[in-house]
Amino acid sequence: MLNADDYVRKLVPAKDFDFEVGDTVDVHVRIVEGDKTRIQIFNGIVIRDRGRGTRRAITVRRVVQGEGVERMFPLSSPTVVAVKTKKKGKIRRARLYYLRDKVGKATKVSERRWTKSGEEGAEAAAVPADAAPQPAAEPAKAPAKA
């Protein structure tokens, strides 16, 4: 006999999302208006990630015309089409409820930067990706004595 979790796991395909709390994301949501459906994008900062598996849900916050708007998205819902990460946030909290009290530029979360080797925090070198490495210059030879 199947319990509710097993039943939902069989019906709902597994979605794999690559984001964390503090990231700026675009949530693509399927909207039904009459007999038409369209995709609407809700962008904002993930302030909470709760649950695991089919019960996983995120809370995304953004400010529209000076008013804070928060929406909860159950990730196993068929209305959530995709979640795309725009920026990785550098935070030290699991819940970002303190952003509710901030105003203006104080609501910004600093961006996490990565180097090519994957280490966090170091600045990437200012070398273009298509630049070929230059060979080491050979030392100048001294003139031969006669």
Side-chain angles (χ1 to χ4, degrees):
M1 184 168 155
L2 293 175
N3 63 12
D5 283 340
D6 294 334
Y7 182 72
V8 171
R9 277 191 207 106
K10 284 190 172 189
L11 289 180
V12 178
K15 297 179 184 178
D16 187 28
F17 298 109
D18 184 31
F19 62 86
E20 298 173 359
V21 174
D23 293 352
T24 302
V25 296
D26 284 342
V27 182
H28 296 249
V29 183
R30 182 176 289 118
I31 303 291
V32 178
E33 295 173 338
D35 58 344
K36 296 180 182 179
T37 61
R38 64 184 178 90
I39 303 296
Q40 184 178 45
I41 298 174
F42 186 88
N43 60 345
I45 298 175
V46 178
I47 64 168
R48 183 175 86 160
D49 185 3
R50 63 169 284 279
R52 291 290 169 253
T54 57
R55 295 180 180 188
R56 187 174 179 195
I58 60 170
T59 304
V60 181
R61 178 182 175 81
R62 72 173 178 182
V63 177
V64 179
Q65 298 178 359
E67 192 72 26
V69 178
E70 291 182 8
R71 283 187 67 180
M72 284 191 63
F73 297 101
L75 295 182
S76 62
S77 171
T79 60
V80 176
V81 177
V83 179
K84 296 184 180 177
T85 305
K86 293 172 67 177
K87 279 195 311 187
K88 291 286 198 181
K90 184 178 179 183
I91 58 157
R92 298 177 69 175
R93 302 273 184 274
R95 306 276 195 265
L96 303 183
Y97 295 143
Y98 67 90
L99 292 178
R100 294 173 177 166
D101 299 328
K102 302 289 183 182
V103 178
K105 287 187 179 181
T107 60
K108 302 292 182 195
V109 174
S110 61
E111 187 173 359
R112 186 171 52 192
R113 298 187 182 264
W114 298 90
T115 62
K116 290 182 182 178
S117 64
E119 296 175 4
E120 186 178 353
E123 293 291 327
V127 177
D130 60 344
Q134 299 295 325
E138 293 183 16
K141 294 183 180 179
K145 294 184 180 177

